[in-house]
Amino acid sequence: MIAPRYPLEGVASWNMNTTCNYRCSYCTQRFVEDRGQLARDLPRFIAAFAALVGDWEIKLSGGEPFRHPDFIATVAALATARRRVSVVTNFASPLAELLAFCDATRARPGLISASLHLEYAEPEAFLAKLVAVKAHHAGRIVATCVATRANLVKLEALQARFASAGTELRVQPEKQDRDVIDYDDGERQQLIRLGGHNGTGEIEPSFAGRPCWAGARYFIVDHEGHAFRCYPARRYRREALGNLLDGTFALRADATPCRYDYCNCTVPQQRGMVDTRRT
Ligand code: SF4
Ligand code: SF4
């Protein structure tokens, strides 16, 4: 297959801490021994992100990135380095902190991906905050919710409620041990009706063998600077790209074939880095 066109803006997903104020039953990090780990040498991280060639978006996640003690200062420093800044957040922070993120990114706004965790958050309060932040944010905002079996029965009504407030609510299949749980046929049909994984129309998208720009115009990096091509690459400990902080980091020059049967990376799919059309 022919690779999609060169993506003009690259994207780095930075898991900047493992800290979180929630303990969701489906959290992929719940087996991490120390949920208090943080990116510490922030000036070196900022310098490394600033040195990336061309336009880049830095997508901050964790854990819960707003729990990093230097979160807003880091956002401001990345914005000063002319990086677009996006965030994946559980949206539990006070409204003033969420608005501070909008202010810090106003010159080059990114995406706020707000995760509704029904084990902790009350939907109407979450939605009210979402509407307030949306009115202030110059970029895009989208809500997501994990389709646990307990949530599945509520999601159709929740999507309608969010749509009535002018906001999209995307669903994400539940994973345990990083694999999608064993939904039965009825549950799978329900998931597809809800849009599938993040609106892709599929539950376990697969692009194995297709050229993908992940590794060249997309990468993921943890709080210690270890970088991988994408989340499945990190899971299998393959296709490491070195460490962002010690001089070993190197991106590929081109799109290369995907080596994974299940792609749970939203960014390459939604930014045209891999051909997602069904064959
Ligand atoms: S909010 Fe996110 S990081 Fe925190 S426990 Fe839930 S799934 Fe994990
Ligand atoms: S798993 Fe997804 S992001 Fe990773 S190489 Fe394959 S298509 Fe690209």
Side-chain angles (χ1 to χ4, degrees):
M1 289 186 79
I2 298 169
R5 284 204 324 212
Y6 179 84
L8 290 177
E9 188 173 67
V11 184
S13 290
W14 182 17
N15 295 113
M16 64 188 297
N17 58 332
T18 61
T19 329
C20 189
N21 49 316
Y22 292 169
R23 289 289 180 274
C24 303
S25 62
Y26 43 78
C27 182
T28 52
Q29 296 195 21
R30 70 185 187 287
F31 299 118
V32 173
E33 275 178 32
D34 178 1
R35 293 292 304 263
Q37 301 175 74
L38 316 164
R40 296 195 185 276
D41 195 346
L42 294 173
R44 277 171 70 209
F45 269 106
I46 305 296
F49 287 125
L52 294 170
V53 175
D55 285 338
W56 281 83
E57 171 182 336
I58 313 301
K59 192 174 184 190
L60 304 174
S61 64
E64 168 50 43
F66 275 85
R67 292 279 149 166
H68 192 293
D70 298 314
F71 177 68
I72 291 295
T74 303
V75 171
L78 288 168
T80 300
R82 299 185 53 77
R83 298 305 178 207
R84 188 186 308 284
V85 186
S86 295
V87 68
V88 181
T89 170
N90 64 25
F91 225 52
S93 293
L95 182 60
E97 286 178 27
L98 297 167
L99 298 185
F101 174 86
C102 305
D103 290 337
T105 59
R106 190 160 302 280
R108 215 169 175 200
L111 171 71
I112 297 176
S113 179
S115 312
L116 170 61
H117 295 290
L118 290 171
E119 293 172 357
Y120 290 91
E122 198 284 309
E124 283 300 323
F126 181 97
L127 183 56
K129 210 193 272 187
L130 198 74
V131 169
V133 172
K134 192 174 178 186
H136 199 76
H137 184 46
R140 285 199 308 129
I141 184 162
V142 65
T144 65
C145 186
V146 174
T148 63
R149 289 197 163 92
N151 291 351
L152 206 46
V153 290
K154 305 173 191 165
L155 281 169
E156 198 174 330
L158 276 172
Q159 276 189 335
R161 175 70 187 103
F162 275 58
S164 74
T167 306
E168 189 183 355
L169 177 67
R170 294 181 184 163
V171 302
Q172 297 173 334
E174 179 181 355
K175 293 190 287 264
Q176 292 290 348
D177 291 334
R178 296 173 185 164
D179 285 322
V180 172
I181 63 169
D182 193 17
Y183 291 109
D184 65 28
D185 287 348
E187 290 166 338
R188 291 181 76 85
Q189 283 167 17
Q190 203 176 345
L191 264 173
I192 295 293
R193 281 198 302 276
L194 292 163
H197 175 94
N198 274 343
T200 59
E202 297 188 53
I203 298 171
E204 292 151 309
S206 176
F207 312 107
R210 298 188 187 189
C212 175
W213 284 99
R217 298 298 284 161
Y218 176 70
F219 67 96
I220 64 162
V221 56
D222 70 12
H223 63 284
E224 292 178 326
H226 302 298
F228 286 85
R229 181 184 191 187
C230 60
Y231 284 107
R234 185 172 72 185
R235 174 184 178 187
Y236 293 110
R237 298 279 147 194
R238 290 177 186 166
E239 304 193 270
L241 301 175
N243 189 294
L244 207 56
L245 304 183
D246 69 5
T248 59
F249 176 72
L251 285 167
R252 295 175 178 171
D254 287 310
T256 48
C258 170
R259 297 170 57 185
Y260 309 98
D261 288 335
Y262 165 41
C263 176
N264 62 332
C265 293
T266 304
V267 170
Q269 293 182 46
Q270 296 191 339
R271 309 293 172 94
M273 295 189 187
V274 62
D275 186 344
T276 59
R277 288 173 299 180
R278 290 182 200 159
T279 50

